[in-house]
Amino acid sequence: MLGFNKPYLTGRELDYIRDAVEREKLSGNGFYTQQCQQFFTSRYGFKKTLLTQSCTDALEMAALLLDVGPEDEIILPSFTFVSTANAFALRGAKLIFADSEKETPNLDMNHVRQLITDKTKAVVAVHYAGVACDMDALMDLADKYRFFVVEDAAQAIDSYYKGKPLGSIGHLACFSFHETKNIISGEGGMLIINDEKFSQRAEVLWEKGTNRSAFFRGEVDKYNWIDIGSSFLPSEMTAAFLWAQLQEVDAIQKKRLTVWNHYFEGLQFQVKEGHFSLPIIPDYSTNNAHMFYLVSRSESERNAIMNHLKKQEIQAIFHYLPLHSSPYFHSKYSGRELFSAVRFSECILRLPFYTELSEEEIDRVIKSIHQFYNS
Ligand SMILES: *Cc1c(COP(=O)(O)O)cnc(C)c1O
């Protein structure tokens, strides 16, 4: 079976984990945590970064930092992973689902504009497949209507909007290092704080509501419970694994882009035939080769290709089921139709995609798709 995902190892993960163990500091915020956090501030110019145990954690921290409560409305795409929504649902916020653009699964900013009210506390921009949302349009709205922007950049490491790294534009941003992402640590994530007014409190929430970080820097003489918080830090073993990955980010990205381009070129024939379309990367965005998908003409055709590939021992998958019509949410939903979100949900097919996918394996997938349309 040609699997859908396969974690890539640089070869140095175990060395760094061993070193972390030998340093006899196994809990969080030690040497490797600092190394990773500094990597991001220096390479991408993020103001402040805090490693977390997942992107889900980072999103939950964002909701806490923004003091989101039952009076607040949060605008987010319906076509996204459940954590984008859960972080704010946990705080009792009212979720306002927006549609995707026609061309990409990213937020349709015209629709977002229509959904803004004086209760809008934040808009969560998910950079689907690492492709940037139209951030200028969103930040203009944020300035005008005074709401916060959280980037769910789970899939968007090392991708750029008009030259700015994704994760550096919103007030807060979240990365994932889950094993299905470009850069991994098993489970793992990071909160990025670009608006400095959140920096201090972010550290407190991160350290279970205490000022322990300030204490260790010698800024206070004892540490105490000063706010709410939770246990969001990953252990040093997780950070050590991540550090091995981060050192190879350029090599990993180069390999992934080669895989992506090979698929893109190999499937052009089918695109010209009008059988399906391929991802559209707007001029303002780079491509970080997070995933490769096609958009078929209908749900039944998508499922037929998927089953054909499965018979040939190729694992292709689809996602996401739109959140506005999910079992948990549909009874709370306003009823407004979200055509693009539904279309992407029904028609996207994700092909096997990982850093070490070989040219032969990609060709096997492409051939299999050609075969589907020839029979
Ligand atoms: C993967 C993903 C998440 C969740 O990341 P975890 O690190 O697994 O918590 C959230 N949002 C999006 C868009 C994702 O792709």
Side-chain angles (χ1 to χ4, degrees):
M1 191 78 175
L2 178 55
F4 167 72
N5 179 59
K6 189 170 145 194
Y8 173 74
L9 299 175
T10 67
R12 269 181 293 183
E13 286 81 0
L14 292 176
D15 294 340
Y16 289 138
I17 289 175
R18 173 177 296 278
D19 182 60
V21 171
E22 283 170 2
R23 283 169 186 269
E24 298 189 329
K25 163 86 171 86
L26 304 182
S27 59
N29 203 8
F31 174 78
Y32 283 103
T33 301
Q34 296 294 331
Q35 292 289 102
C36 293
Q37 290 178 174
Q38 277 160 24
F39 173 90
F40 283 101
T41 49
S42 60
R43 179 175 166 118
Y44 298 106
F46 301 148
K47 292 268 167 53
K48 183 174 179 66
T49 54
L50 293 172
L51 289 193
T52 56
Q53 294 179 28
S54 62
C55 181
T56 304
D57 263 4
L59 287 160
E60 287 179 22
M61 284 183 74
L64 286 167
L65 278 172
L66 298 181
D67 267 326
V68 169
E71 298 303 308
D72 298 320
E73 296 181 355
I74 306 293
I75 301 174
L76 72 167
S78 175
F79 187 76
T80 183
F81 188 63
V82 68
S83 293
T84 320
N86 251 331
F88 299 92
L90 277 168
R91 312 253 60 83
K94 188 162 180 218
L95 304 183
I96 310 291
F97 287 108
D99 208 356
S100 298
E101 298 174 319
K102 280 217 170 59
E103 311 272 279
T104 83
N106 284 340
L107 272 180
D108 176 344
M109 296 307 169
N110 289 319
H111 192 212
V112 168
R113 182 181 297 111
Q114 293 164 28
L115 297 174
I116 295 167
T117 70
D118 49 11
K119 290 188 174 159
T120 304
K121 182 80 164 257
V123 174
V124 191
V126 179
H127 305 299
Y128 182 76
V131 174
C133 293
D134 187 354
M135 292 307 286
D136 280 351
L138 181 56
M139 297 315 287
D140 283 351
L141 290 173
D143 283 345
K144 186 161 173 208
Y145 297 103
R146 309 205 148 270
F147 57 76
F148 293 105
V149 172
V150 178
E151 291 176 72
D152 180 343
Q155 306 174 3
I157 191 170
D158 207 51
S159 199
Y160 294 79
Y161 172 81
K162 297 186 182 172
K164 291 182 204 163
L166 296 185
S168 72
I169 304 168
H171 301 84
L172 298 166
C174 306
F175 275 8
S176 174
F177 309 118
H178 184 266
E179 81 161 88
T180 51
K181 305 300 201 274
N182 293 29
I183 297 292
I184 63 176
S185 62
E187 301 281 352
M190 188 174 74
L191 176 69
I192 299 161
I193 301 110
N194 295 314
D195 184 335
E196 268 149 323
K197 75 166 169 284
F198 295 117
S199 293
Q200 236 182 341
R201 185 160 185 244
E203 228 172 43
V204 171
L205 298 179
W206 190 58
E207 287 270 31
K208 302 148 186 105
T210 72
N211 52 358
R212 191 166 176 274
S213 296
F215 172 70
F216 278 114
R217 283 194 301 265
E219 293 164 16
V220 292
D221 61 2
K222 45 184 172 296
Y223 86 85
N224 214 330
W225 185 24
I226 60 169
D227 200 339
I228 55 170
S230 192
S231 181
F232 292 115
L233 290 77
S235 83
E236 276 289 287
M237 279 86 83
T238 299
F241 190 112
L242 181 62
W243 179 238
Q245 295 264 315
L246 290 175
Q247 292 188 308
E248 296 282 319
V249 63
D250 289 320
I252 291 171
Q253 290 301 93
K254 197 167 159 228
K255 283 184 187 173
R256 294 182 77 95
L257 216 50
T258 307
V259 173
W260 201 97
N261 288 330
H262 199 76
Y263 265 129
F264 193 76
E265 267 133 47
L267 291 169
Q268 283 307 316
F269 173 77
Q270 299 295 346
V271 173
K272 290 201 185 80
E273 294 286 300
H275 291 148
F276 48 72
S277 57
L278 294 178
I280 291 168
I281 320 275
D283 286 344
Y284 52 65
S285 179
T286 57
N287 175 19
N288 77 340
H290 171 59
M291 66 165 92
F292 196 88
Y293 64 90
L294 55 85
V295 186
S296 66
R297 292 175 290 200
S298 70
E299 184 174 23
S300 57
E301 189 165 319
R302 189 270 309 272
N303 294 346
I305 309 171
M306 190 170 66
N307 291 329
H308 171 80
L309 292 175
K310 196 167 160 198
K311 277 195 216 117
Q312 316 243 330
E313 308 213 302
I314 296 169
Q315 187 188 24
I317 62 168
F318 65 86
H319 74 171
Y320 302 109
L321 296 169
L323 297 178
H324 72 280
S325 54
S326 61
Y328 174 69
F329 202 82
H330 80 275
S331 60
K332 307 174 194 45
Y333 187 62
S334 68
R336 190 198 308 258
E337 297 227 54
L338 303 177
F339 294 104
S340 291
V342 170
R343 184 174 75 90
F344 283 118
S345 173
E346 290 175 348
C347 300
I348 277 183
L349 185 66
R350 297 177 63 185
L351 302 178
F353 194 95
Y354 47 88
T355 307
E356 284 187 301
L357 195 62
S358 71
E359 235 168 67
E360 293 72 40
E361 287 166 325
I362 304 166
D363 286 339
R364 182 152 91 82
V365 180
I366 293 169
K367 221 169 110 188
S368 198
I369 292 173
H370 287 327
Q371 214 178 56
F372 173 83
Y373 282 100
N374 287 336
S375 62

